[in-house]
Amino acid sequence: MGTVDEKVEVAIESGDEEMEILFSGTSSPTRRKAVNFDLESETSPLSSSNHSHMNTSSDHLTNSWIVKRMEMSPFRTFYIVLIRAKINILLPFGPLAILLHYFTGKHVWVFFFSLVGIIPLAERLGYATEQLAFYTGPTAGGLLNATFGNATEMIISIYALKSGMVRVVQQSLLGSILSNMLLVLGFSFFTGGIVHCKKVQVFNKAAAVVNSGLLLMAVMGIMFPAVLHFTRTEVHFGKSEMALSRFSSCIMLVAYGSYLFFQLKSQDNLYNPIEEVVNNDQEGADEEEAPEITQWEAIGWLAVLTLWISVLSGYLVDAIQGASESLNMPMAFISVILLPIVGNAAEHASAIMFAMKDKLDISLGVAIGSSTQISMFVIPFCVVLGWIMGQPMDLNFQLFETATLFITVLVVAFMLQEGTSNYFKGLMLILCYLIVAASFFVHVDRSSDDD
């Protein structure tokens, strides 16, 4: 059994261990409960005097632990969200962009500073969403990731719609799809193939095929209004195209909602490769799955980060036109190439990192999954929102953009059909993206003059 002094020493050491766990933020609530349970089970056989002495010591330890936790929790949460991550070094660019807007009026600097300032906010928004998903369960967590996964694009699109910049909305969302499918997936395959050159990397073929099918459906929804417009076969010129776009957008939203239900509820074992990867990697699983902030802290940070992204998005949208004129660069190139690459830089880096760790299913979830969300959810949502706001947002992305999207989806679908990857496939996707970028650099968007 041991003496009373030995029990007190064990209790103090366990209390110190709990304090160390609290400050490091690497333990789970289960571990803390296990420590307390062991203490109670050890002290129960003691005599009444020793038991009261132990109760006094444990009460003192518990009270001090609770008080210090209450004192440190807000500062610790602030440190975890806004200081600990290295990407947060870019946070000052946001306030600098606002200062430049009011004191200099140089649209180029305001555009680039606000764009760089959004990068850490988008990454932290994803982190807060992941933390909240720990408390909501897999189904609600999947819906949260689907909603906030492309929140930055949605916020920028809403501000652009308010300003009547329909072509900026269309081209920026198209650019996000192209960069995810060609650039991000290409770099993921290339870096993963270089690091693991002596093996064939595999991924969940079933999930890739389903996402490819959804992307082809999105191409169909975007292509028909453009074909209707350029063949001049509308029943009512200008009105039939808009009506078809709104009807197709509602159908695409229903299809994406059905896909979420099918993926998260009906066939979660077949089409949820990320969960399989985490279950197979048992080493350090407790540390990876333990939430670092509480549920209400995650909700609060989601609100704060969304509000700050909204503020910067307003300055970003206002500076696009001036930046295009100052740099003598086409608006199409800025909207399709620069906005998606810089705005989603943190998401792109995470996909490449997972590919280097031989977790291609997660990389595909970031690249192809994000493209599916934008094409089947964000674009139709913007069409419906423009309908409500009285803006002429439709699915007619013009002939050049629609053809680019169609060819890109076909190329990626052929790359994914085998369920394997290598560095040569990645290199081909990267080279395809360079061709797309060069095409938009020399492309003049005539319809933007009408807007």
Side-chain angles (χ1 to χ4, degrees):
M1 294 293 296
T3 63
V4 176
D5 294 335
E6 291 175 349
K7 300 298 180 182
V8 175
E9 184 177 358
V10 170
I12 294 175
E13 290 177 355
S14 302
D16 292 338
E17 182 183 358
E18 288 186 346
M19 290 300 296
E20 183 179 357
I21 291 171
L22 174 64
F23 291 128
S24 63
T26 57
S27 71
S28 62
T30 306
R31 183 178 177 184
R32 292 177 187 150
K33 291 180 182 178
V35 174
N36 294 332
F37 179 78
D38 291 339
L39 285 174
E40 291 176 2
S41 62
E42 283 189 89
T43 56
S44 57
L46 296 177
S47 61
S48 58
S49 60
N50 294 339
H51 185 65
S52 62
H53 178 71
M54 285 299 300
N55 285 338
T56 304
S57 302
S58 62
D59 290 340
H60 175 71
L61 289 171
T62 303
N63 291 334
S64 62
W65 180 76
I66 293 175
V67 170
K68 291 189 176 183
R69 180 177 181 180
M70 292 175 62
E71 292 176 354
M72 295 298 298
S73 181
F75 300 101
R76 178 175 168 272
T77 304
F78 183 85
Y79 169 78
I80 290 175
V81 177
L82 294 183
I83 298 178
R84 187 178 65 179
K86 295 180 180 179
I87 197 173
N88 289 333
I89 195 174
L90 301 177
L91 284 174
F93 281 90
L96 286 175
I98 298 177
L99 293 176
L100 290 172
H101 173 79
Y102 288 105
F103 290 102
T104 64
K106 294 184 178 180
H107 296 289
V108 176
W109 291 108
V110 175
F111 173 77
F112 280 107
F113 274 53
S114 56
L115 196 59
V116 174
I118 287 176
I119 294 176
L121 296 176
E123 192 274 338
R124 292 287 87 187
L125 187 69
Y127 170 80
T129 305
E130 293 174 359
Q131 293 297 305
L132 184 59
F134 283 115
Y135 302 96
T136 58
T139 303
L143 292 174
L144 283 172
N145 288 325
T147 304
F148 287 96
N150 294 290
T152 305
E153 290 90 342
M154 292 181 64
I155 294 172
I156 294 176
S157 300
I158 291 172
Y159 271 89
L161 274 179
K162 280 185 177 180
S163 304
M165 305 173 70
V166 175
R167 289 297 292 162
V168 172
V169 176
Q170 293 177 334
Q171 291 174 341
S172 62
L173 294 179
L174 173 70
S176 295
I177 298 174
L178 297 177
S179 66
N180 278 308
M181 287 197 297
L182 294 178
L183 188 65
V184 180
L185 189 63
F187 268 110
S188 298
F189 282 178
F190 183 76
T191 55
I194 293 296
V195 174
H196 304 279
C197 58
K198 295 183 179 180
K199 62 178 291 188
V200 177
Q201 289 187 295
V202 296
F203 52 84
N204 192 321
K205 183 179 177 180
V209 169
V210 170
N211 280 280
S212 299
L214 286 172
L215 288 170
L216 286 172
M217 180 181 178
V219 169
M220 183 177 67
I222 293 174
M223 184 175 64
F224 284 161
V227 172
L228 189 68
H229 175 78
F230 286 99
T231 56
R232 304 288 181 176
T233 56
E234 300 175 79
V235 176
H236 303 286
F237 184 75
K239 295 182 180 179
S240 299
E241 172 193 337
M242 184 66 67
L244 177 62
S245 298
R246 291 168 178 173
F247 176 79
S248 299
S249 297
C250 295
I251 297 298
M252 291 163 69
L253 289 174
V254 172
Y256 186 71
S258 303
Y259 163 70
L260 287 180
F261 178 81
F262 180 74
Q263 182 189 35
L264 301 174
K265 204 73 175 175
S266 177
Q267 300 286 336
D268 56 339
N269 293 329
L270 183 61
Y271 294 106
N272 196 5
I274 295 178
E275 185 177 359
E276 295 178 3
V277 173
V278 176
N279 290 335
N280 291 333
D281 189 11
Q282 293 295 334
E283 296 181 0
D286 293 337
E287 294 182 1
E288 292 180 1
E289 295 181 0
E292 295 181 318
I293 58 178
T294 65
Q295 180 177 1
W296 289 107
E297 288 172 344
I299 294 174
W301 281 111
L302 276 177
V304 171
L305 292 170
T306 303
L307 180 63
W308 185 229
I309 291 175
S310 302
V311 172
L312 284 184
S313 298
Y315 291 98
L316 176 67
V317 171
D318 292 338
I320 288 179
Q321 185 67 39
S324 174
E325 296 174 356
S326 300
L327 295 173
N328 195 20
M329 190 177 294
M331 280 280 291
F333 182 80
I334 293 178
S335 301
V336 177
I337 305 300
L338 292 184
L339 276 179
I341 289 180
V342 182
N344 298 324
E347 190 178 26
H348 297 176
S350 65
I352 297 172
M353 178 192 68
F354 283 120
M356 295 175 66
K357 294 181 179 179
D358 200 17
K359 296 181 179 180
L360 274 184
D361 283 323
I362 303 181
S363 298
L364 261 70
V366 174
I368 304 300
S370 180
S371 299
T372 304
Q373 288 178 11
I374 294 173
S375 59
M376 294 295 293
F377 175 70
V378 180
I379 290 178
F381 174 80
C382 289
V383 172
V384 175
L385 185 63
W387 188 6
I388 297 173
M389 297 170 59
Q391 296 290 345
M393 174 70 184
D394 58 11
L395 294 179
N396 180 14
F397 279 39
Q398 303 302 318
L399 188 60
F400 184 81
E401 289 84 348
T402 305
T404 304
L405 178 62
F406 178 63
I407 298 300
T408 298
V409 172
L410 285 183
V411 170
V412 173
F414 278 113
M415 294 292 182
L416 298 178
Q417 65 179 351
E418 295 179 354
T420 60
S421 72
N422 51 60
Y423 70 90
F424 182 65
K425 285 185 177 180
L427 181 61
M428 285 193 293
L429 292 175
I430 295 173
L431 296 178
C432 287
Y433 187 78
L434 293 179
I435 295 175
V436 171
S439 301
F440 277 98
F441 189 78
V442 297
H443 172 62
V444 177
D445 186 19
R446 295 177 181 177
S447 60
S448 63
D449 298 335
D450 299 335
D451 295 337

